[in-house]
Each structure stands twice: as C-alpha cells, then as structure tokens.
Amino acid sequence: MPEPTTYPEVGATGPAATHWVPPAGYRAYARTFVLGHGEEHWAWASAEVLVWGIKTRSGFRVEPGGRVVEGADQRLRAIVGPVVVTEPVRVVAVVESADRCGFAYGTLPGQPVSGEEAFVVHRDPDGTALLTLRSLTRAGRGRWRVVFPALLVAQRWYRRRYARALRADG
C-alpha cells in the first residue's frame, strides 16, 4: 500500500479548474505568467510540462523521469552547490485538453514542506500561452520545521525559475 500524502486536501490546487479557491491553513500562492504566443509555442510548452520540463528546466532532477502519470510517486532532487535535497512526491492530478495541460503533485513523508504544487500551461483565445503556478505550503515535520523560513526563500527562487522555464525567450 502506498504511503499517504502529508496533507489531507489531495487535489486542492485543482489544475483542471480555471478559477481557484485555496483551502485554509496553508500559505497559498497563485500566479499566471505569459510564456509566448502562437500555436508552435503552445504545442511545445504544453508537451514539455507533461514530461516534467518545468522542473528539469528549473534545475531539478526527476526520478524516474518520463511522462507525468497520475498516482505515480517521484523523487525530485534539488541540487544547489554541494547541497542535495530530495523531495518525495506523488502526482495527484493531471489535466490534458485542447487548451489546458499540466499536473499537480503532493508531498510524501520525507519532504521538506507539506502541501501541493500545480503547474498548468493554458492558452487564451488570442493564442497567448500562459503558465499558472499554484501552491499550498506549510512546514514539514521534524528537522525541516526548523529551516522552514529558509525553504520559503528557496521556494520563491524556484518560482522565478519556473516562470522562465517554458518561456519563448527563456
């Protein structure tokens, strides 16, 4: 039997939903960025997000790699200089439609924080490709609780990298 997530609101970042109301009890974050314009960029960015491109192009290693699959457990490795932080996660939702592609993952035991992140590439009727990031975060357990403020700084740094990872000029 797989380990349960470290939070009860599985799927709460709602990657398929165009509007989002986060649950209480978390640091909630939502922001949308312009990636580019046109069918070619949309096709590339929407395919790239579904093979972990947003994470790998932001400096993470994803093990095992491949296509995002709902229910799959992954290990994300953030490497900053000599420091390697392993983040066990489970893909909790995948959306793949004509105008919206992405996924959400939730934290598993051993993760530095507790919560969920969603990465969604979508497009407007005018052909603008967009990236929406959503996250729900609270302190992890054990030793991670002590370094939670530093983890929030790292989270903001990675969000900037996510915003550039799938941009046409990035």
Side-chain angles (χ1 to χ4, degrees):
M1 183 166 176
E3 283 189 280
T5 61
T6 60
Y7 66 104
E9 299 86 0
V10 173
T13 55
T18 57
H19 299 288
W20 182 53
V21 178
Y26 294 89
R27 289 176 176 268
Y29 174 87
R31 186 152 176 214
T32 299
F33 304 89
V34 173
L35 298 176
H37 302 277
E39 183 64 34
E40 187 175 318
H41 190 72
W42 156 255
W44 175 80
S46 62
E48 192 69 12
V49 75
L50 293 173
V51 293
W52 294 96
I54 188 119
K55 296 298 279 188
T56 59
R57 296 172 67 82
S58 296
F60 283 83
R61 289 190 189 152
V62 179
E63 300 168 0
R67 189 164 175 79
V68 173
V69 176
E70 190 168 334
D73 289 355
Q74 308 285 143
R75 296 232 181 261
L76 309 177
R77 297 197 194 280
I79 302 167
V80 181
V83 178
V84 178
V85 177
T86 300
E87 303 176 1
V89 300
R90 176 169 298 130
V91 177
V92 297
V94 176
V95 59
E96 189 172 4
S97 69
D99 294 316
R100 192 172 191 85
C101 293
F103 67 98
Y105 63 71
T107 56
L108 295 173
Q111 170 71 261
V113 297
S114 178
E116 193 170 294
E117 281 191 303
F119 307 88
V120 182
V121 175
H122 50 104
R123 63 179 163 177
D124 284 345
D126 72 356
T128 302
L130 305 157
L131 168 67
T132 295
L133 303 176
R134 294 177 183 161
S135 69
L136 300 169
T137 308
R138 59 183 171 204
R141 297 178 187 238
R143 72 180 195 268
W144 293 116
R145 189 171 289 285
V146 175
V147 297
F148 186 62
L151 294 171
L152 293 176
V153 171
Q155 187 178 52
R156 285 192 299 274
W157 185 77
Y158 274 109
R159 284 178 184 149
R160 286 192 298 274
R161 294 177 69 92
Y162 299 150
R164 291 190 308 262
L166 302 179
R167 279 190 359 205
D169 61 357

